[in-house]
C-alpha cells in the first residue's frame, strides 16, 4: 500500500486513518499515494486560518509580504528537481512539468515584483485619487482596499498541481489573507510536496497556508461573508459549489475558473506559404499535445476559412504524425499520458459525442503506439483531430474533450466566425492568427466580449509571443459564461480580489492620514 498523503492543518500534519483513495502513476499504473481527509477537524482549519494565519500575515506590511514571496519562490526553485520527479507520475513530460512547476515559481516571483513596485508600505491600499464631495473641498471620498479577515479556500484542478496553487497563493499572501489549499485528488501528491517545502521554508508565518488532501467534508459550513472560495475545475463542480449556502446565503465570495471551448481563428489572408499559416498549425498542434491536451486554455475549436480547410488539415496531420506518445520519463517521448484511465475514458466518450457532427481526420482514440510503456496499463491516447461536417450541430461548441483533441471548423465571413466563436458560450482565451489588421480588428470587436484573453498572433510578434495557452500573471485569466465568469491573475487586480473595497469619506487631511502617501 502506498503512503497516505498528510494534510497540513492547524499547525501540524494530519494523516487520515482509513484506506483512502489509491492514486496510481498515469503511465505505469504503479500506486503512488493514498488520499483521504477522513476525521479532519474542518472547523479547526478555518479557525486556524482566521485566528493564526490571517493576523500573522497582516502584522507584516505589503512590502514584507512581497519580500517573503520572493524568498519563497527562490526556495521552491532550489527544490524543483523533486517536483519534476513526482510530476512525471502524473503523465507529464519534462516540457509539461516546466509549464506547471517553473510556471508556478515564475508567477510567484512576478507577484513579488508586483507587490514591491505597486503596493505601498503598511496595510491599506488607496484606489484612485480622493474626489471632492462638496464645493469647499473640505469633504472628500476615496476608495481603499484592506485584506479580508477570513480564510481563502483554493480548490484546484488536477492538471496544474503546482501552478494552480501558486497563482492563487501568491496574490492571497500579498493581500494578507491565509489560504486553505485543496488540490485535486489525482495529482495531490505533487501539491503536497510543494506545501511541505513551503511550510519547512519558514518564509510565510504559521497558518498562512494549510493543505487539505481529500474531500472538504463540511468545511464550507464554517464559511461566511469574510471568506472566499477560488475554484478551478469543471463547470459542474463550480455550479454545485455556487449553490452552497455559504455562497447563496452567507455571501462567501466565489470565483470560478472552469471549462472552456477555446478557439483559434485563422485569417483568410493566412494561406499556405504565409508565416501566419505555419504559426496557426504550430499553435493548434502544440495546444493539442502539451499536457496531453489537459489544459483549460487548449484550442478545442480551430476555425479555418472554408477554402483553406484541406490545407490546414493536411498540415496539422503532418505535424501530429510526428508526435511520440509514451512514458514521459523517456527522452524521445513528446506527449505523455492523460492523468488516469478514468480521464482517458472520459475523453474517449467526448470524442464519440463530437463524432456526431465531425469526422476523424487524424489519430484513433482507441489505438495508440507507445514508447517505453504498456498502452493498456497507462492512460495513453493518440492526438485526435476532427473536422466538423455539420455546422448546425452543437457538439463542437459544447463538448469539452479534456485531452489531445481538437476540431477544425470551416467559416466564411467575419460575422460567421464571430457567431461560431460565440457558440462556445464564453471562453478563457481565443487567438486570431492573421496579418490583416482590418480582419483582426473586426474579429476582436465581435469576439472580445466572449473571451477573457485574445492573442493576436502574426509574424511580427511570433518571436516573443508567449502562446495561445499560457496565462500570464500580469494579464487577466478567466472568462465569461461557461469559463466560469471569474477572473484571476492580472497583476495587482488579483491581489484586490482578496480584499474589501471601502469608500472612505472625510476631510482631506484625515483621509490622507489614514491612507498614507499611497
Ligand atoms: P473537477 O472534477 O471539477 O475538480 C476540481 C476540484 O474540485 C478538485 O480539487 C476536486 O477535488 C474538487 N471537488 C470536486 N467535488 C467537490 C465538492 N463537492 N466540494 C469541493 N470540492 C470538490 O475538475 P478536474 O477534473 O480536477 O479538472 C478538469 C476540469 O477543470 C476541466 O473541465 C478543465 O477545463 C477545468 N480547468 C479549468 C481551468 C481554468 O483556469 N479555467 C484550469 C484547469 C482546469 P477531488 O479531485 O478531490 O474530487
Amino acid at each position: 500500500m502506498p503512503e497516505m498523503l498528510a494534510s497540513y492543518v492547524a499547525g501540524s500534519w494530519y494523516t487520515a486513518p482509513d484506506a483512502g483513495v489509491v492514486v496510481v502513476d498515469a503511465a505505469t499504473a504503479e500506486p503512488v499515494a493514498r488520499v483521504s481527509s477522513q476525521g479532519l477537524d474542518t472547523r479547526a482549519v478555518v479557525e486556524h486560518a482566521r485566528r493564526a494565519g490571517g493576523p500573522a500575515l497582516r502584522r507584516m506590511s505589503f512590502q514584507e509580504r512581497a519580500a517573503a514571496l520572493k524568498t519563497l519562490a527562490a526556495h521552491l526553485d532550489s527544490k524543483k528537481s523533486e517536483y519534476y520527479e513526482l510530476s512525471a507520475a502524473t503523465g507529464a513530460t519534462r516540457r509539461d512539468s516546466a509549464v506547471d512547476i517553473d510556471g508556478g515559481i515564475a508567477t510567484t516571483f512576478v507577484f513579488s515584483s508586483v507587490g514591491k513596485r505597486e503596493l505601498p508600505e503598511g496595510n491599506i491600499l488607496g484606489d484612485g485619487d480622493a474626489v471632492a464631495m462638496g464645493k469647499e473641498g473640505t469633504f472628500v471620498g476615496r476608495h481603499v482596499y484592506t485584506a479580508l479577515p477570513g480564510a481563502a479556500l483554493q480548490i484546484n484542478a488536477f492538471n496544474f498541481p503546482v501552478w494552480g496553487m501558486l497563482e492563487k497563493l501568491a496574490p492571497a499572501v500579498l493581500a494578507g489573507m491565509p489560504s486553505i489549499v485543496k488540490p485535486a485528488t489525482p495529482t495531490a501528491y505533487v501539491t503536497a510536496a510543494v506545501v511541505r517545502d513551503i511550510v519547512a521554508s519558514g518564509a510565510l508565518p504559521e497558518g498562512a497556508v494549510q493543505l487539505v488532501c481529500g474531500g472538504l467534508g463540511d468545511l464550507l459550513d464554517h464559511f461566511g461573508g469574510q471568506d472566499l472560495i477560488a475554484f478551478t475545475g469543471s463547470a459542474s463542480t463550480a455550479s454545485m459549489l455556487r449553490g452552497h449556502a455559504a455562497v447563496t446565503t452567507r455571501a462567501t465570495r466565489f470565483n470560478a475558473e472552469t471549462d472552456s471551448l477555446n478557439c483559434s481563428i485563422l485569417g483568410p489572408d493566412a494561406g499556405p506559404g504565409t508565416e501566419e499559416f505555419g504559426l496557426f498549425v504550430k499553435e493548434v498542434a502544440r495546444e493539442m499535445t502539451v499536457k496531453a491536451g489537459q489544459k483549460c486554455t487548449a484550442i478545442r475549436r480551430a476555425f479555418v476559412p472554408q477554402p483553406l480547410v484541406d490545407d490546414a488539415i493536411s498540415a496539422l496531420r503532418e505535424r501530429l504524425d510526428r508526435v511520440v506518445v509514451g512514458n514521459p520519463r523517456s527522452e524521445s517521448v513528446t506527449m505523455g499520458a492523460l492523468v488516469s484511465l478514468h480521464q482517458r475514458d472520459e475523453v474517449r466518450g467526448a470524442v464519440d459525442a463530437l463524432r456526431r457532427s465531425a469526422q476523424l481526420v487524424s489519430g484513433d482514440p482507441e489505438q495508440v503506439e507507445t514508447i517505453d510503456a504498456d498502452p493498456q496499463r497507462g492512460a495513453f491516447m493518440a492526438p485526435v483531430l476532427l473536422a466538423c461536417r455539420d455546422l448546425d450541430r452543437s457538439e463542437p461548441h459544447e463538448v469539452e474533450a479534456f485531452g489531445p483533441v481538437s476540431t477544425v471548423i470551416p467559416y466564411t465571413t467575419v460575422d460567421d466566425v464571430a457567431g461560431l466563436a460565440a457558440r462556445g458560450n464564453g471562453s478563457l482565451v481565443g487567438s486570431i492568427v492573421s496579418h490583416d489588421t482590418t480582419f483582426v480588428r473586426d474579429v476582436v470587436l465581435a469576439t472580445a466580449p466572449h473571451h477573457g484573453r485574445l492573442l493576436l498572433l502574426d509574424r511580427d510578434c511570433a518571436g516573443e509571443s508567449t502562446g495561445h495557452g499560457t496565462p500570464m500573471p500580469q494579464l487577466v485569466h478567466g472568462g465569461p459564461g461557461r469559463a466560469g465568469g471569474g477572473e484571476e491573475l492580472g497583476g495587482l487586480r488579483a491581489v484586490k480580489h482578496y480584499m474589501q473595497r471601502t469608500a472612505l469619506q472625510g476631510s482631506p487631511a484625515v483621509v490622507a492620514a489614514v491612507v498614507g502617501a499611497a
Side-chain angles (χ1 to χ4, degrees):
M1 285 259 269
E3 223 175 280
M4 174 67 81
L5 284 184
S7 293
Y8 184 69
V9 292
S12 57
W13 292 92
Y14 173 79
T15 307
D18 63 330
V21 174
V22 176
V23 175
V24 303
D25 185 297
T28 66
E30 292 300 320
V32 178
R34 287 183 297 129
V35 183
S36 169
S37 60
Q38 198 194 67
L40 190 136
D41 183 348
T42 54
R43 182 187 289 278
V45 177
V46 177
E47 285 301 306
H48 190 64
R50 289 181 187 149
R51 295 205 178 142
L57 273 172
R58 293 188 295 277
R59 279 193 290 276
M60 300 162 75
S61 66
F62 286 124
Q63 289 305 317
E64 286 168 332
R65 294 196 292 268
L69 278 184
K70 190 171 176 188
T71 307
L72 178 65
H75 181 75
L76 298 181
D77 199 51
S78 73
K79 298 277 182 183
K80 69 184 178 192
S81 59
E82 295 163 34
Y83 313 147
Y84 270 85
E85 263 176 51
L86 289 170
S87 179
T90 72
T93 61
R94 250 199 113 64
R95 177 181 70 154
D96 298 337
S97 298
V99 177
D100 185 34
I101 297 166
D102 291 276
I105 293 169
T107 298
T108 311
F109 273 122
V110 169
F111 272 107
S112 168
S113 304
V114 165
K116 189 172 174 201
R117 275 186 286 107
E118 298 181 43
L119 287 169
E121 297 291 341
N123 257 309
I124 186 161
L125 173 63
D127 183 42
D129 296 327
V131 181
M133 295 282 159
K135 281 189 186 153
E136 307 296 323
T138 60
F139 185 63
V140 299
R142 187 165 185 206
H143 289 111
V144 294
Y145 281 93
T146 51
L148 296 175
L153 173 64
Q154 295 158 3
I155 304 177
N156 289 313
F158 70 78
N159 55 344
F160 287 109
V162 182
W163 177 85
M165 167 176 63
L166 292 176
E167 60 104 10
K168 292 182 172 76
L169 178 64
V173 166
L174 270 187
M177 204 174 179
S179 298
I180 301 166
V181 175
K182 181 322 187 209
T185 295
T187 56
Y189 51 93
V190 186
T191 310
V194 181
V195 171
R196 192 166 277 282
D197 286 339
I198 293 174
V199 173
S201 76
L204 302 178
E206 171 48 42
V209 183
Q210 298 181 82
L211 170 75
V212 176
C213 294
L216 288 172
D218 62 357
L219 191 142
L220 286 180
D221 291 347
H222 311 300
F223 261 36
Q226 291 294 329
D227 304 305
L228 178 155
I229 304 166
F231 172 80
T232 299
S234 62
S236 55
T237 309
S239 155
M240 194 261 303
L241 289 170
R242 200 177 259 124
H244 193 282
V247 180
T248 57
T249 309
R250 299 192 294 279
T252 297
R253 289 191 194 185
F254 183 71
N255 189 77
E257 300 285 329
T258 57
D259 4 306
S260 197
L261 276 295
N262 312 290
C263 68
S264 185
I265 300 171
L266 180 68
D269 59 303
T274 63
E275 280 186 56
E276 285 72 25
F277 184 82
L279 291 168
F280 175 81
V281 169
K282 190 170 161 197
E283 204 74 19
V284 173
R286 183 167 57 191
E287 289 300 316
M288 287 176 70
T289 53
V290 172
K291 295 230 46 143
Q294 300 168 113
K295 276 172 64 184
C296 52
T297 49
I299 298 167
R300 305 286 174 213
R301 301 177 296 158
F303 293 122
V304 176
Q306 178 73 61
L308 302 180
V309 164
D310 288 345
D311 290 321
I313 288 174
S314 47
L316 278 166
R317 196 189 277 133
E318 196 264 316
R319 229 183 150 95
L320 294 172
D321 281 350
R322 285 191 258 141
V323 172
V324 181
V325 180
N327 192 323
R329 299 164 182 93
S330 178
E331 287 281 307
S332 58
V333 164
T334 57
M335 190 174 98
L338 298 181
V339 76
S340 64
L341 290 173
H342 168 76
Q343 196 60 27
R344 185 182 65 182
D345 290 344
E346 293 271 309
V347 176
R348 283 178 173 166
V351 171
D352 282 346
L354 288 168
R355 287 175 80 174
R356 283 182 223 131
S357 63
Q359 66 194 70
L360 270 184
V361 290
S362 183
D364 179 344
E366 306 294 329
Q367 298 289 334
V368 60
E369 279 181 30
T370 53
I371 299 287
D372 270 355
D374 178 346
Q376 303 309 322
R377 283 176 68 77
F380 298 103
M381 187 169 166
V384 167
L385 186 69
L386 299 120
C388 183
R389 49 180 160 69
D390 184 350
L391 289 173
D392 291 331
R393 292 197 65 110
S394 59
E395 286 88 351
H397 313 288
E398 287 181 359
V399 177
E400 185 198 39
F402 201 60
V405 181
S406 193
T407 305
V408 173
I409 304 171
Y411 76 87
T412 49
T413 61
V414 167
D415 285 350
D416 183 29
V417 76
L420 289 167
R423 287 178 70 185
N425 271 325
S427 293
L428 294 167
V429 54
S431 46
I432 306 164
V433 191
S434 165
H435 199 47
D436 175 347
T437 45
T438 305
F439 173 80
V440 173
R441 193 194 54 226
D442 290 349
V443 177
V444 167
L445 269 175
T447 60
H450 302 279
H451 291 89
R453 178 165 63 87
L454 282 176
L455 167 69
L456 316 179
L457 184 61
D458 70 358
R459 66 196 73 173
D460 296 334
C461 70
E464 284 197 315
S465 165
T466 45
H468 169 104
T470 310
M472 299 305 292
Q474 302 86 344
L475 303 177
V476 164
H477 175 59
R482 178 172 181 151
E487 230 187 72
E488 286 183 337
L489 302 180
L492 196 55
R493 228 179 128 108
V495 182
K496 292 175 178 174
H497 290 155
Y498 292 86
M499 307 180 92
Q500 175 62 40
R501 187 153 90 127
T502 305
L504 293 186
Q505 293 176 290
S507 75
V510 170
V511 170
V514 169
V515 184

